[in-house]
Amino acid sequence: MREALAAAGAGIVAMIVVAALGLWAAGAADLPGGAFPRVVAAVVVIAAGGSVELSGDSGVLAQAAAAIDAVPLSVTLAGALVTAAVFLLPLRHRAVATTGELLDRIARTAACWLLFLLILALLARHSFRISTGNDLAEEIGAELGALPTVEFRADVPATLGFGLLWVLAVLALTFIVSRKAPLSSRLLHFQRSVRPPAFAMLLVLLAYAAIGLVVGVIVLCTRGHPAETVAVLFLGLPNLVWTALGVGIGGAWVGHVDKAIGLPMPRVLDEVLRTRGGQRTLDLGAVAEHDGRAWLLVAVAAVVLLAAAFTAAVRSPARLPAWRHALEMAAALALTMLVVGLLTRISAHYGISLLGMGDLGGGLGGEVTLRPVLLRLVAAGAVWGLVTGFLGSLLARYVQHPGDARDARPRDQAASPPP
């Protein structure tokens, strides 16, 4: 049980630290009524698969509406990596474990995780007044009893349900990806067919996160708006870089930004998606119209995916045909892009209306939406997986694969027949 508490506790602490740093940089520490720790708890709940409900109130004559559906993937990634690493520590020197033992460890870790998540879900509730930024509007609202307030609270049953699925998915992926994770004897034959492409996909996602972190640090040191840059790094870095991966291989998202509502995003995305009506397509061509450096995304995708495919081929059996490796990479990358598309969706809205007359002007409302074109993303992933998987397999033929049997005798001794 101590090992389960350590794995779950370390993951939760990592998520709290990352969320707190990102929210502090975004200015959430200045929220009224001591809301900061409760907002941190709410962000961790969302990042762990939970559900937080938003509601607005502006008095008798007015109505306020608020909704945010976006996963802070920096927080999610930190929690998943730390939980998996600590979970594997007691098992790292073992190659085989019984099914009962593995299920017992998973169940204990999941139970501890749900306990910590329940505490955060109970803490993640607060209400506070929203400043409109318009003195005249606030004076009118005060006279009419229509000062806007927003309340948020975690949906405890949904949080525990989806949080359980989240931690089980993290632990399952830990066994699928890591060669240090022991398997039961019944599952050993899946080790060489599933783990290499799965590990390759993990490398791709982490490589893009690392590249984005380097670019973010450079931007932080050379340009203005340091607080906004830090907020993006600690809250939404994977959201951006994994979207860049999808755009680089030919995928697309559709959405729009009609008015900023506090969600930081790069200038080029704001330019592509900014519109008062309708939807805009976010793909390589649209980004290139605003920034010619967008074509570098194709080169980065080619290098990272080819390196990942080569790594997967080296970890696979040496006699695996190139076409088989290409199919495995195509399936793995297509599934990865499906998950990336689902995780990078954004739907955020805040608005105030008087007497049912719609959103008021003056910065009182705004909306951001971003939805993946899943069929295009999956198809692009399959095509790139086929090509890079085939090329990676050809390159891996010149490299010794782990587990290959090699004759250790000297060549002249091996060439002479035994007496």
Side-chain angles (χ1 to χ4, degrees):
M1 183 59 72
R2 286 185 300 178
E3 295 169 351
L5 282 171
I12 288 290
V13 169
M15 297 175 81
I16 291 174
V17 171
V18 173
L21 290 173
L23 290 170
W24 170 77
D30 298 328
L31 290 174
F36 181 68
R38 299 180 180 273
V39 173
V40 172
V43 169
V44 173
V45 165
I46 295 172
S51 175
V52 174
E53 299 175 346
L54 287 173
S55 60
D57 184 22
S58 297
V60 178
L61 299 179
Q63 293 181 344
I68 296 179
D69 180 13
V71 181
L73 290 179
S74 292
V75 182
T76 301
L77 183 61
L81 292 177
V82 173
T83 301
V86 178
F87 179 82
L88 284 179
L89 281 178
L91 304 171
R92 63 188 184 280
H93 297 305
R94 301 175 57 184
V96 180
T98 65
T99 302
E101 179 188 357
L102 294 180
L103 292 178
D104 181 66
R105 287 180 177 272
I106 291 173
R108 290 174 184 269
T109 303
C112 295
W113 179 268
L114 289 181
L115 175 61
F116 291 133
L117 195 59
L118 174 61
I119 296 173
L120 289 174
L122 295 176
L123 181 64
R125 56 181 62 195
H126 195 67
S127 63
F128 49 88
R129 204 186 103 189
I130 297 296
S131 174
T132 64
N134 187 317
D135 294 337
L136 178 60
E138 292 197 4
E139 290 179 7
I140 295 175
E143 292 293 331
L144 297 177
L147 291 174
T149 61
V150 168
E151 178 182 5
F152 66 88
R153 64 175 57 238
D155 185 340
V156 176
T159 294
L160 295 181
F162 288 110
L164 177 60
L165 294 178
W166 186 93
V167 70
L168 291 179
V170 168
L171 297 179
L173 290 174
T174 300
F175 283 99
I176 292 173
V177 170
S178 174
R179 290 194 299 178
K180 295 181 179 180
L183 296 175
S184 66
S185 57
R186 298 178 182 179
L187 299 177
L188 287 177
H189 62 283
F190 291 107
Q191 183 167 345
R192 289 195 171 185
S193 60
V194 175
R195 281 182 169 176
F199 178 75
M201 294 302 100
L202 176 64
L203 282 184
V204 170
L205 297 180
L206 293 182
Y208 265 82
I211 294 171
L213 181 60
V214 172
V215 173
V217 171
I218 294 174
V219 170
L220 181 65
C221 297
T222 59
R223 300 183 183 179
H225 310 290
E228 181 175 321
T229 302
V230 172
V232 170
L233 292 179
F234 281 99
L235 293 176
L237 176 62
N239 301 68
L240 296 177
V241 296
W242 294 348
T243 300
L245 166 63
V247 170
I249 65 174
W253 281 255
V254 294
H256 74 280
V257 177
D258 63 358
K259 193 179 296 181
I261 59 173
L263 294 178
M265 64 174 59
R267 176 187 56 82
V268 64
L269 288 185
D270 183 79
E271 293 176 351
V272 171
L273 298 175
R274 177 76 64 173
T275 178
R276 274 292 184 179
Q279 300 288 314
R280 294 286 183 90
T281 299
L282 174 66
D283 59 9
L284 189 62
V287 177
E289 290 180 1
H290 294 84
D291 191 336
R293 295 171 297 179
W295 296 102
L296 290 174
L297 296 177
V298 180
V300 173
V303 172
V304 172
L305 291 176
L306 184 57
F310 172 78
T311 302
V314 170
R315 285 172 165 245
S316 300
R319 296 182 179 179
L320 188 70
W323 64 266
R324 173 71 179 275
H325 181 61
L327 289 178
E328 290 180 355
M329 285 296 298
L333 187 55
L335 181 59
T336 300
M337 296 316 302
L338 173 64
V339 174
V340 165
L342 294 175
L343 290 178
T344 52
R345 294 178 301 176
I346 297 176
S347 177
H349 170 81
Y350 180 74
I352 303 173
S353 62
L354 281 174
L355 301 175
M357 298 178 62
D359 283 349
L360 300 177
L364 299 184
E367 187 176 24
V368 177
T369 63
L370 191 65
R371 295 182 292 104
V373 183
L374 290 178
L375 182 60
R376 183 169 168 180
L377 270 175
V378 171
V383 171
W384 276 76
L386 279 173
V387 175
T388 57
F390 188 82
L391 295 177
S393 181
L394 295 181
L395 293 174
R397 292 181 178 180
Y398 302 98
V399 179
Q400 180 178 353
H401 293 226
D404 283 356
R406 300 286 177 130
D407 195 342
R409 294 176 298 170
R411 289 186 179 180
D412 53 354
Q413 182 179 351
S416 60

